[in-house]
Structures are given as structure tokens and as C-alpha cells.
Amino acid sequence: MALDFNGRVAIVTGAGGGLGRAHALALAARGARVVVNDLGGALDGTGGSATAADRVVEEIRAAGGEAIANGASVTDFAAVQGMVQQAMDTWGRIDVLVSNAGILRDKTFAKMDLADFRQVLDVHLMGGVHCCKALWPIMNAQKYGRIVLTTSSSGLYGNFGQTNYGAAKLALVGLMQTLALEGAKNDIRVNCLAPTAVTRMTESLLPQDMLKAFGPEAVVPAMLVLASEQAPTRTTLCAGAGGFEAANITLTHGVYIGTAADAPEQLLARLGEVRERRGEMVPGSGAEQGTNELRLLREGR
């Protein structure tokens, strides 16, 4: 089944280069009309220029597609609202959001200034929140929406020197979990994409023999699936070099210990059982933790 975006309108943030550019070009090639958003700043988020977004718009138009440029910072909610209004004024609807804008300010936690921690959270987490909040009434009203939030293995699994980036990226998974539940009744599907790709943000982190294999284009198929009419919801797809995986936050079967005075000692002694992954589950909502604990209580008495 071919993925077709004809008649759809997509916003791609951070689309002036790297992954965002690849996403915007791919959506346009399959018929979407695209808002190419990029602040045009440096890798650490400083500065700004409309040139990067304009170049991508020119590429899309040269290939016969439709696109407009936008230079809003995703950290500025009013500017994001303006971007959404620009899309509505131009095309009258918004079907897809690919929240991709990001910056890096890597340091070990011991050496990191809190301002750098906060700025990375503002761009990645609050940038995603701002875009979702501005789009939410529109997608609810039209009873259709596809949101792709860009997470990272740094958030899912940790990465030395990236406490700020990792915290922001895992927070986006939490945002996805609840937005997907709240959007389900109006066919708003919310997913996360964890890419491994050589971009301006990662080219210095990967060895030379990986640079070609891990081009941004290798991540695009996962984005297209998550942005499509046939998309799942509450799914975190990982993609890189032609390989695709799914990441899940799971809950082990657990054990019943009770609340006696020696419960901490019993828990320590049985921690291996508690952490045993055979039979683990992917909860449908946060309430299922309590449901599982109630089961353990009933079975343990």
C-alpha cells in the first residue's frame, strides 16, 4: 500500500537541514503541502536566519511541490501560533506535525550550566509542547491529526554528557503517551521517532565508516509511516541505516512482599525477581501499574 499525502498539510520544524529537510522533502514528494520551519540558528541555538528554510522551500517547489517557509522559534509560543495561522491562512487545514527542531549543548552534568540545561529543555520539550498545543484545537475540530515527536536513544537509554538532551527527549515520550490517549477519540495519532542519523548535530559523534550508512534519508521511512493515515499510535519507532526497531516502556510481572517492618530487606533480597523480564508487559495506561499491584496483593494474601 503506497503512502499518499495528497491533500494533506504538514508542518516540519527544524526543516532547514539534516533530518528535518529530509522529512520535508519526502512529505512533499508524496503530495503533502509543507510548512518548512527553521529558525536558522547555530548548533547551540544561537542566532537565526531564514535562509535555510527558504532553500528547502525552493527545492520543493523546483520538484513541483508546494511549500512555504517559516522562521519561528519553537520556544516562542506566540510565534508558533503565528506559524500555525500562516498554514491555515494558506491551505485551510493542518494534518501532520513533525516536531524535529533541536539543539545541543553537551557537557557532563558536573560542568553543565543550568542555563544550558534549561535551554535544551525549552527547545526540545517545550518546542514540541508549543507546536502540539497550537495545533490541538485544529486537529480535534477536523477529527484527524498525525503528530511525530522526535525522541532519541539518549533519552530512552542514556548517553554520557547529555543529561539535558536525554531528559528532554524522554519527556517527549511521556508527552506522547498521554496525548495519544486524549487524541484517540478524534483520530489524532501521536508517536515518537528515535533516529540514528548523521546530521549537523551528530556528525562529530560517529566514526567515518558509519557516516554514509546513517544518512538522514534512512530515517525517513519511519517518519512517513508515523505521519501517514495508516499510522499506529503510542509507538516509538527507532530507525537508522535501514534498520527499524520499536522501543517500549515495560512493566515486569513483579512480586508481592507486603508492608512488614522487614519489607525493605525482603525487597533487596528479591530484587532479581522483581527485575525479571520474562512476562513483562507494555501497559495501556499508567493505571495498569496500580492494577498489577492490586493483583499481586490479592495473590499474595
Side-chain angles (χ1 to χ4, degrees):
M1 182 183 297
L3 298 183
D4 183 4
F5 290 86
N6 281 296
R8 300 298 186 190
V9 174
I11 293 176
V12 183
T13 67
L19 279 167
R21 172 182 169 275
H23 293 332
L25 292 175
L27 287 163
R30 290 175 178 260
R33 294 166 287 183
V34 183
V35 178
V36 178
N37 164 264
D38 202 285
L39 178 62
L43 184 59
D44 65 357
T46 57
S49 168
T51 304
D54 288 336
R55 274 199 303 264
V56 177
V57 168
E58 289 170 8
E59 285 186 77
I60 290 172
R61 290 176 177 172
E66 294 183 61
I68 55 176
N70 179 274
S73 168
V74 294
T75 64
D76 182 341
F77 183 52
V80 170
Q81 289 177 304
M83 173 179 67
V84 167
Q85 190 60 52
Q86 180 188 12
M88 293 297 291
D89 291 344
T90 305
W91 293 309
R93 62 182 296 116
I94 301 168
D95 302 283
V96 175
L97 166 67
V98 181
S99 181
N100 172 77
I103 64 170
L104 283 179
R105 294 190 180 182
D106 291 356
K107 284 183 181 178
T108 62
F109 191 62
K111 296 180 180 178
M112 186 177 295
D113 188 275
L114 283 179
D116 287 336
F117 200 106
R118 186 174 291 108
Q119 185 62 22
V120 168
L121 287 176
D122 283 346
V123 173
H124 290 274
L125 175 57
M126 292 311 300
V129 170
H130 290 159
C131 291
C132 291
K133 183 66 174 176
L135 287 169
W136 204 248
I138 295 166
M139 290 183 169
N140 271 304
Q142 67 193 20
K143 298 189 182 303
Y144 184 91
R146 300 291 183 265
I147 295 174
V148 183
L149 302 170
T150 306
T151 185
S152 170
S153 57
S154 295
L156 295 167
Y157 310 114
N159 203 27
F160 190 90
Q162 291 194 314
T163 51
N164 50 4
Y165 185 76
K169 287 304 193 183
L170 189 56
L172 287 166
V173 177
L175 177 66
M176 171 198 75
Q177 299 279 18
T178 295
L179 282 184
L181 293 174
E182 294 183 3
K185 66 180 180 180
N186 286 326
D187 196 23
I188 303 173
R189 304 183 193 180
V190 189
N191 296 286
C192 279
L193 174 61
T196 305
V198 178
T199 67
R200 184 176 62 155
M201 290 175 61
T202 61
E203 62 186 355
S204 64
L205 304 177
L206 296 175
Q208 286 297 313
D209 60 347
M210 291 177 63
L211 295 182
K212 186 175 181 180
F214 283 91
E217 292 74 17
V219 175
V220 166
M223 179 280 298
L224 289 173
V225 168
L226 296 179
S228 71
E229 186 175 344
Q230 300 86 356
T233 196
R234 291 188 71 202
T235 296
T236 298
L237 284 186
C238 308
F244 303 92
E245 309 98 335
N248 290 293
I249 296 175
T250 63
L251 187 71
T252 67
H253 186 273
V255 300
Y256 178 75
I257 290 174
T259 58
D262 66 343
E265 287 75 19
Q266 288 192 55
L267 175 57
L268 181 60
R270 301 182 66 186
L271 202 54
E273 292 178 69
V274 172
R275 298 178 66 188
E276 170 57 53
R277 299 193 62 177
R278 283 179 297 180
E280 68 183 0
M281 66 197 85
V282 179
S285 74
E288 291 192 23
Q289 177 182 328
T291 300
N292 190 62
E293 288 157 355
L294 182 59
R295 175 189 62 79
L296 292 172
L297 173 64
R298 287 170 173 166
E299 290 177 356
R301 284 185 168 176

